[in-house]
Amino acid sequence: MSSLDSTWITSLSCSPSSGLFPMEVPTQKEKSTSLLSLDGFFWVVQAITQLVLVILIIHVKRFEAVVHPLSLRLFWVVNFVVVSLFAASGVTRLVSLEGNESISFMIDDVVSFISLPVSLFLLIVGVKGSTGVIKLREETQSVGDNDEETKLYDQGLDKPGLTTGFASASQFSKTFWIWLNPLLSKGYASPLNIDEVPYLSPQHRAERMSVIFESKWPKSEERSKYPVRTTLLRCFWKDIIFTACLAVIRLSVMFVGPVLIQDFVDFTSGKGSSVYEGYYLVLILLVAKFIEVLTTHHFNFNSQKLGMLIRCTLITSLYKKGLRLSCSARQDHGVGPIVNYMAVDTQQLSDMMLQLHAVWMMPFQVGIGLFLLYNCLGASVITAFLCLLLVLVFIVVTTRQNKNYQFKAMISRDSRMKAVNEMLNYMRVIKFQAWEEHFNSRILSFRESEFGWLSKFMYSICGNIIVLWSSPMLISTLTFGTALFLGVKLDAGTVFTTTTVFKILQEPIRTFPQSMISLSQALVSLGRLDRYMSSRELNDDSVERNVDCDGEIAVDVQDGTFSWDDDGLEQDLKNIHLKVNKGELTAIVGTVGSGKSSLLASILGEMHRISGKVQVCGSTAYVAQTSWIQNGTIEENILFGLPMNRQKYNDVIRVCCLEKDLEMMEYGDQTEIGERGINLSGGQKQRIQLARAVYQDCDIYLLDDVFSAVDAHTGTEIFKECVRGALKGKTIVLVTHQVDFLHNVDCIVVMREGTIVQSGRYNDLLDSGLDFGILVAAHETSMELVEQGAAMPGVPTITKSASNNNRETNGESNSLDQPKSAKGSSKLVKEEERETGKVSFNIYKLYCTEAFGWMGITAVLFLSVLWQASMMASDYWLAYQTSVKRAEFFNPSLFISVYAIISVVSVLMIVLRSYSVTVFGLKTAQIFFKQILNSILHAPMSFYDTTPSGRILSRASTDQTNVDIFIPLFINFVVAMYITVVSIIIVTCQNSWPTAFLLIPLVWLNLWYRGYFLSTSRELTRLDSITKAPVIVHFSESISGVMTVRAFRKQKEFSLENIRRVNSNLRMDFHNFSSNAWLGFRLELLGSLIFCMSALFMIILPSNIIKPENVGLSLSYGLSLNSVMFWAIYMSCFIENKMVSVERIKQFSNIPSEAAWNIKDRSPPPNWPGQGHVDIKDLQVRYRPNTPLVLKGITLSISGGEKIGVVGRTGSGKSTLIQVFFRLVEPTGGKIIIDGIDISALGLHDLRSRFGIIPQEPVLFEGTVRSNIDPTGQYTDDEIWKSLERCQLKDSVASKPEKLDSLVVDNGDNWSVGQRQLLCLGRVMLKQSRLLFMDEATASVDSQTDAVIQKIIREDFSARTIISIAHRIPTVMDCDRVLVVDAGRVKEFDTPTNLLQRQSLFAALVQEYANRSTGL
């Protein structure tokens, strides 16, 4: 509490001489004597009281009391009651004075009126009790006591200047938002940066709110149907009640203005009881307006603060829930909808808080309005009541309809977001296959469905606006008609009191449907959140975990039956008996889809345990088959939250064979990895996640096929140095297809169809035959060629040092092929572009003229002016007809007929205007959506490598929603508001001409405040958008890697990171709406002062200038000046902030495009390529201008039907070569000619659609088997079945009840990696392309399946040209020729036999592969 408090209190001199109690009338002398003695005694009591209060305030400051003493708070409550009585008494006395009575109490009454708002403020302080003093350390401690995670505070966060001024502001500063001044002045001086925006107060931060939410969550025995709703009410009921109190106070002063109109008209007619009555009326008006303005903006501020707290609470809780979801629950929701829960649903609940109280306040507001109307018009108020009832019935019906439309639109938006998210995740595959048009039409079909419901929603809202905005005039017409029929006399005071009350009633009737819409949206969102938060979680007791335990067994599964389905309808693993001893290496082998990965998942507790028992002794580390890498540096990925131990870190890098890779990267381990590891090769990702596991130093390691993505030598090195070296003594369960390593494991587990069919050591299993024998036989067959090659005389003996130089790793993607540049940044992912300063006029022009050009916007403005003119005409007609001069000539039928005609014209204008704005908004939104979708699909691959998907998703969800709904809706409002402000100024100045002199400073101040506020608000809105994307990215990243996060028990660390990002975003939101309240209070106060001065001029000016009916007209307009002016300015600022969405969408609508998809006059022949003959002439490639070449003049010729194997070490340019064929990267020089046609002359789709490719990472899309194998629907069912049969999947698909329509979930998670790879092979078989590219296509399958695939390729693709990047030497041995690439140049290109005859790089590789299991 500041020392200013004592000054406010001393200003509260409430003299008893205001005449609160009636007395006998004494003589003049007695009266003056008694008054003087009473005054003297009163001032002595006041002095003592104030002295005591000052001492109490000093106590508060000195001892840093968090709450005011109870005695002081009680005094402020009583003080408000007394001051209110004094003020009421003064008003009563002054209004009832006769004209000849002297005004002896004027000074005391003025003091009472001035004291009233101050005492109201102190009443609020007394009720809340808080002094504004916050002990940050104690706050941190008290929150931290609840839960460990609440100790998350950024270093130095609580230093002055880094924490928001609100945290330490005095009550006075909080009342008038003075604490915000430093930030606004900083923002006005220069555009704000993220670091300049202070952090939230400790009591508002996400970590504290998260703990409170968890503590209030309904217990299981409560069986709550609506757990989210219940918890939110338990957490925030006090805040809801406080905002309700503010709403009630505002309501009680809102009708003071209309009540005073009659008194003003009477006073200017000469009927006043006192010459001073006019001054008192103005003073009462000023005080009422001050209280109304203060409570309005505190209501808005506190409601938005409550909304912010609800949003931050929900986001952190949704995130924690995401980390606990079971596998099938995660598949049920999908990443797209979960992003919508966070981005859209939580925002709708947050926005709802502003409109929550309008729902129940409406009957009270209407009731008071009807009471005032009854006083003016008597029984004719029944007409008004019936009309209002009709309007409400209409609103309730349409709101119900809107709820349905909104729900359907949200379902369609979910589907669209899911499709967009999937498209962004797999854009490389989509471009390889030339499927952009298919995905374009798929997303557009979802959008069309969404747009249909959206259009119905917007037209329905448009209907609401028409009814609500036209109802005051229509109801006035009917009510005045009834009054005239009943013989009620209409004068200026009565008429303008009535129209003003109708205008005030317009607010609750207008906000009521909006509130109902918000409420219905919020209820839909709450239902979705209830469903999500009530989803099944992983059962913690499915695995019995012991950190320290005696005994020899590390993993023990007894009679286990497991299912991926939570209900256990399908048994994926049956009768599992597995014992893994401590320190042993156990290998799990089996054909594709036999349940190997599922077995690891069951040990981790990721599957639903139907029966049996699982015991795990020690901490677990998990390396997934599909790599999961975070967006961050390589170092951050390996450390995974642990502190840096340089020696240990370097050892881990060495044993995981990452040294060479890091040397090749310009920034080494500080190189930033793109989203989903997009700029790393498959092998690099696999080794980085292996390094992450090794660095964690756990007891048990579950490794899922870690050798599939690496070449022979690297695999051997990792097995020796890492699995059998660094991890020696650890318990390891290894899923593998590498039969070579099985000699060196302690136990082998063989699986088939979800059961363990054999287990034991290598030789024992080999002797028994069965499944293991078949696997080994398949492997040995494939090794025969290699052994023959290794036995050739020219093959050298490879030393370890030589092999290190010649080792080959997986093909790399575009970024890490790039050579070092002289200078640059380690950040692959660029900082998000952020415009600063004003939203340019060009953005407004783009939005307004996109659909119908300048004619459209001119028509809307013209209709708006006509509508306002018709409204003014009706009021001028009322003033003219109710003037004193016209009283004797008054013709009721003429009066009501003309008024009715004007009303009908006004309604016609509002109908035309509203529908034109809605059509204009919908068409613009659809154009923008098609533009950004088209631009994204045409963007080159480099755009996706450097742009996180969260950035694109936020534009597709939040920004598109702004363009769909908010911008057209608020442009509609803001045009109406500005024209209304002009009309108010015209009417007021016409009748109170001195006000015109105040207009210049008023307009200047308004514009200055707007500019001062907007420079900060605009940047805060942009920063809000920019800090939102990382929250979304981190969330989707965490959900996709949740198995890894849970295996390492890192849920707490990930939750803390989520909290950090949420806090970073919320501080922008908090200061944004605080600045709105700062502006609103000042602008409305300014408007109220000008209006009260205008009213004062009307009283001061001589009666021959001021006509009573014009006073009524001016007051009925002027009463809304403060709010209309504020809303006009604020909504224009709001639109400018929302226009940032247009700016952001436009940024991504003009992405530099890749080459044309189709070029009409350059289409290749239908059967091209017919032969598959490839000529590469002096091919040179660089990724960006001014960087060195990646491919340095490659020249070679491949005959049609040849099988070419491509080998080479990391960064040699293997994958770049394949990307150049598909023109994902354009050549800098040279040519690729296929069957006589230069590929650079063709359209990209003409080119890509003629080639087949099997990528390294098998990608399936959400849908069915049919939609995955034939997305474009070109082939018959028979052709698809034949293709499935050839790729060994017919039986798997045929066994499912839905056959070809069997479900494929997001990312194909319900199919094994091997099955996914086979399905990708099936796609290529359908395509029948003459030219096939394979990027380690059989990495994820066992030797047996690999042999089958190779056989299929030999038979089915015998006449086709195949270019294959391969790590399995048997695959390469089967090729016609082998291409060895090194540093962007062709080093060797010959038949395997010829290369083995001489000292060659290839011969060295063969020798390594043949000898890789020796000495292990």
Side-chain angles (χ1 to χ4, degrees), residues 241-427:
I241 288 172
F242 178 64
T243 50
C245 292
L246 289 171
V248 170
I249 294 169
R250 175 174 173 265
L251 174 62
S252 47
V253 292
M254 196 192 266
F255 288 97
V256 171
V259 170
L260 294 180
I261 288 180
Q262 186 71 57
D263 294 319
F264 271 102
V265 171
D266 288 348
F267 181 80
T268 50
S269 306
K271 298 177 189 173
S273 55
S274 152
V275 289
Y276 293 102
E277 185 187 338
Y279 298 108
Y280 286 108
L281 291 172
V282 171
L283 189 61
I284 292 164
L285 194 61
L286 181 62
V287 171
K289 278 289 179 190
F290 176 78
I291 293 171
E292 184 187 338
V293 167
L294 188 67
T295 51
T296 297
H297 291 289
H298 266 286
F299 171 78
N300 290 342
F301 171 73
N302 283 285
S303 296
Q304 286 177 291
K305 187 177 76 167
L306 172 60
M308 175 196 80
L309 294 177
I310 286 173
R311 190 163 74 89
C312 91
T313 304
L314 286 174
I315 288 175
T316 50
S317 303
L318 290 172
Y319 182 83
K320 287 179 181 175
K321 180 71 179 181
L323 294 182
R324 297 194 301 264
L325 279 182
S326 69
C327 183
S328 62
R330 195 165 73 246
Q331 287 175 4
D332 284 346
H333 293 282
V335 177
I338 293 174
V339 167
N340 265 354
Y341 299 152
M342 292 184 76
V344 180
D345 292 310
T346 57
Q347 190 64 54
Q348 278 178 343
L349 287 171
S350 176
D351 296 341
M352 174 59 207
M353 291 305 108
L354 259 180
Q355 297 167 332
L356 180 66
H357 299 297
V359 176
W360 62 266
M361 289 281 289
M362 193 274 298
F364 293 101
Q365 283 172 285
V366 172
I368 295 168
L370 290 173
F371 175 73
L372 294 176
L373 289 173
Y374 179 74
N375 283 345
C376 295
L377 300 170
S380 53
V381 77
I382 293 169
T383 304
F385 174 71
L386 290 173
C387 290
L388 287 171
L389 204 60
L390 278 173
V391 170
L392 279 178
V393 168
F394 173 81
I395 293 308
V396 168
V397 170
T398 53
T399 303
R400 235 184 219 173
Q401 212 172 23
N402 286 340
K403 182 180 175 182
N404 182 42
Y405 295 154
Q406 180 75 4
F407 181 68
K408 297 279 177 59
M410 282 169 88
I411 288 173
S412 301
R413 189 187 303 140
D414 277 357
S415 304
R416 170 173 66 82
M417 286 301 295
K418 213 169 186 179
V420 170
N421 186 52
E422 193 172 56
M423 178 189 81
L424 296 176
N425 286 344
Y426 308 125
M427 185 52 84

Side-chain angles (χ1 to χ4, degrees), residues 1153-1392:
S1153 175
E1154 59 184 357
W1157 286 347
N1158 302 100
I1159 301 170
K1160 277 186 181 175
D1161 52 347
R1162 293 194 199 160
S1163 295
N1167 62 339
W1168 181 87
Q1171 304 298 318
H1173 187 77
V1174 178
D1175 273 319
I1176 302 176
K1177 297 180 180 176
D1178 192 28
L1179 182 65
Q1180 299 174 0
V1181 174
R1182 57 165 57 94
Y1183 279 97
R1184 286 185 298 277
N1186 308 320
T1187 58
L1189 290 170
V1190 183
L1191 296 183
K1192 303 165 185 175
I1194 290 181
T1195 303
L1196 54 91
S1197 181
I1198 300 168
S1199 305
E1202 262 195 299
K1203 312 286 180 287
I1204 305 296
V1206 184
V1207 295
R1209 67 182 181 80
T1210 297
S1212 59
K1214 302 188 302 294
S1215 283
T1216 304
L1217 186 61
I1218 284 189
Q1219 289 184 70
V1220 177
F1221 271 103
F1222 284 84
R1223 285 175 60 198
L1224 261 60
V1225 181
E1226 294 285 358
T1228 309
K1231 291 179 179 178
I1232 298 179
I1233 295 170
I1234 297 174
D1235 283 357
I1237 295 178
D1238 183 351
I1239 65 165
S1240 59
L1242 300 176
L1244 293 181
H1245 278 190
D1246 289 334
L1247 174 73
R1248 293 169 184 170
S1249 62
R1250 304 299 179 90
F1251 297 165
I1253 183 166
I1254 306 175
Q1256 184 178 8
E1257 289 187 21
V1259 169
L1260 297 190
F1261 300 95
E1262 188 173 6
T1264 62
V1265 172
R1266 179 189 275 105
S1267 70
N1268 266 280
I1269 200 163
D1270 177 26
T1272 52
Q1274 292 178 311
Y1275 304 99
T1276 64
D1277 280 11
D1278 285 344
E1279 289 172 312
I1280 293 171
W1281 278 116
K1282 281 176 188 168
S1283 170
L1284 288 173
E1285 186 175 17
R1286 290 205 296 272
C1287 68
Q1288 309 291 300
L1289 274 179
K1290 185 179 180 182
D1291 294 343
S1292 301
V1293 176
S1295 65
K1296 294 182 183 286
E1298 301 91 352
K1299 305 286 192 273
L1300 288 178
D1301 294 317
S1302 298
L1303 186 68
V1304 177
V1305 300
D1306 190 17
N1307 197 26
D1309 283 344
N1310 58 336
W1311 296 75
S1312 77
V1313 177
Q1315 287 172 321
R1316 287 181 236 167
Q1317 192 65 279
L1318 291 171
L1319 209 53
C1320 291
L1321 181 66
R1323 281 180 195 152
V1324 175
M1325 291 182 162
L1326 269 180
K1327 210 170 184 181
Q1328 297 288 324
S1329 172
R1330 297 290 303 178
L1331 190 53
L1332 175 64
F1333 296 88
M1334 295 170 68
D1335 190 352
E1336 192 42 47
T1338 55
S1340 302
V1341 295
D1342 57 273
S1343 295
Q1344 191 180 349
T1345 313
D1346 184 24
V1348 172
I1349 291 174
Q1350 296 306 330
K1351 185 173 176 238
I1352 293 165
I1353 290 171
R1354 276 196 298 274
E1355 291 171 1
D1356 285 56
F1357 301 110
S1358 56
R1360 302 184 201 181
T1361 307
I1362 298 174
I1363 297 173
S1364 171
I1365 294 175
H1367 299 154
R1368 289 188 167 172
I1369 295 301
T1371 314
V1372 185
M1373 296 297 290
D1374 205 27
C1375 291
D1376 299 321
R1377 283 194 286 173
V1378 175
L1379 172 66
V1380 182
V1381 185
D1382 187 54
R1385 290 190 167 88
V1386 174
K1387 289 292 182 185
E1388 297 168 2
F1389 187 40
D1390 206 341
T1391 64

Side-chain angles (χ1 to χ4, degrees), residues 57 81 146 176 368 435 505 546-547 770 839 849 852 942 978 1006 1028 1145 1260 1282 1307:
I57 296 297
V81 175
N146 285 329
F176 302 112
I368 295 168
W435 284 340
L505 287 180
N546 301 306
V547 179
L770 300 174
V839 173
T849 59
F852 300 106
S942 56
Y978 269 115
N1006 269 282
K1028 236 176 213 160
I1145 287 173
L1260 297 190
K1282 281 176 188 168
N1307 197 26

